[in-house]
Amino acid sequence: MRFINLGTKEEACHYVANELLKQMISDHQSVLGLATGGTMKDVYARLVELIQMNQLDLSEIKTFNLDEYIGIDSDHPESYNTYMHQVLFDHFSSWNEEHIHLPNGSVEQLDVEAERYEALIDEQGPIDVQILGIGENGHIGFNEPGTSFNSLTSVVNLTESTIEANSRYFDDVNEVPKQAISMGIKSILKAKRIILLAYGPKKKEAVQQLLSGEITTQLPASVLYNHPSVEVILDADAYPNQ
Ligand code: PGA
């Protein structure tokens, strides 16, 4: 695992966008593993510019998102489906809707949906590049502390700290969904390459714990030490004192 401090949030976001662009240019049938959250907004803004500048053909790019809330419709303003369409997919008519994948958190049989999603990743993957944020509690995707490293895509309960962190997007904390369908830790590790992005002082403690090198289910991101190709891209505020 390589930790790279790029100084500013802007540099860090541009790095991640550049790596996604390079992947798409090197293989126009790339499979991208995408993440949502505040951290990724500027990554996608830059990626939109880069795709436009390079006039990329997106028709055969496939995407898999990490997670989706349960209990809100996919067209809810705060669903991750809506987020992804707003920040990335809707900017391009050549993006093939059939190649865009997010778990569907509004179906009746959620366990069946989770299994379907995992099988689809296995069928169409492996994911070439998976981008990840990190929760203040060290989660990746919605795999909260304590999650088994063998977990596959499944229905997960969000912790109070995650609900609190995500309440900034909702009018009221009570409106924040309490569950999600999330790719599991084992699903994430199937990707060929992983780039974790973290910036700002709120992420410093989780990054500090990660840097300590201890691999523990209490810090889900620490499982990334078991993967051969992981970069942790940081700004100066998230870079721990050593
Ligand atoms: P954030 O979420 O980008 O909104 O901080 C990241 C995460 O929880 O993985």
Side-chain angles (χ1 to χ4, degrees):
M1 180 143 53
R2 284 174 289 165
F3 290 78
I4 306 175
N5 175 4
L6 291 176
T8 63
K9 161 186 168 179
E10 192 181 40
E11 290 287 344
C13 290
H14 283 196
Y15 177 88
V16 178
N18 288 348
E19 294 307 299
L20 290 172
L21 177 81
K22 278 160 52 186
Q23 175 61 47
M24 287 192 271
I25 288 175
S26 71
D27 178 1
H28 69 282
Q29 296 185 316
S30 290
V31 185
L32 305 179
L34 301 180
T36 52
T39 305
M40 295 300 166
K41 284 223 161 124
D42 286 5
V43 172
Y44 295 125
R46 182 59 179 163
L47 186 58
V48 166
E49 290 174 357
L50 292 171
I51 291 172
Q52 283 164 347
M53 280 192 273
N54 288 274
Q55 299 178 14
L56 282 196
D57 173 12
L58 302 165
S59 58
E60 295 190 55
I61 300 285
K62 298 190 183 74
T63 66
F64 284 90
N65 265 81
L66 283 170
D67 42 27
E68 179 60 285
Y69 287 124
I70 289 172
I72 57 176
D73 287 336
S74 56
D75 60 358
H76 185 283
E78 295 306 331
S79 77
Y80 290 153
N81 176 62
T82 300
Y83 170 111
M84 286 308 305
H85 280 83
Q86 283 174 349
V87 299
L88 184 62
F89 302 138
D90 289 354
H91 293 263
F92 304 100
S93 57
S94 68
W95 219 306
N96 186 338
E97 271 291 329
E98 286 179 12
H99 293 166
I100 292 171
H101 304 291
L102 290 98
N104 185 343
S106 48
V107 295
E108 212 142 280
Q109 291 188 294
L110 293 162
D111 290 339
V112 174
E113 169 61 8
E115 272 177 40
R116 178 196 71 84
Y117 198 72
E118 187 74 33
L120 202 59
I121 296 171
D122 287 341
E123 186 189 306
Q124 305 202 354
I127 287 170
D128 292 297
V129 178
Q130 173 71 59
I131 61 171
L132 295 177
I134 184 170
E136 289 167 43
N137 63 3
H139 74 198
I140 50 174
F142 273 132
N143 296 289
E144 303 285 23
T147 304
S148 159
F149 286 169
N150 282 323
S151 62
L152 296 171
T153 305
S154 61
V155 173
V156 296
N157 296 321
L158 310 192
T159 59
E160 282 306 317
S161 80
T162 297
I163 292 169
E164 182 61 37
N166 289 3
S167 67
R168 66 191 190 277
Y169 301 116
F170 291 81
D171 293 336
D172 187 303
V173 68
N174 294 318
E175 288 177 21
V176 184
K178 310 271 182 295
Q179 287 188 308
I181 296 185
S182 178
M183 275 168 65
I185 289 181
K186 197 168 178 184
S187 338
I188 291 171
L189 292 190
K190 291 176 188 172
K192 290 190 207 165
R193 178 182 177 204
I194 296 174
I195 306 174
L196 186 150
L197 172 65
Y199 53 78
K202 285 190 175 170
K203 299 294 167 73
K204 188 170 180 168
E205 198 183 317
V207 176
Q208 179 99 51
Q209 284 180 38
L210 186 59
L211 193 68
S212 80
E214 188 192 351
I215 301 175
T216 163
T217 56
Q218 288 313 306
L219 188 78
S222 67
V223 77
L224 298 174
Y225 280 105
N226 294 338
H227 189 283
S229 178
V230 180
E231 285 169 297
V232 179
I233 304 300
L234 304 166
D235 75 346
D237 287 336
Y239 193 69
N241 310 318
Q242 298 186 50

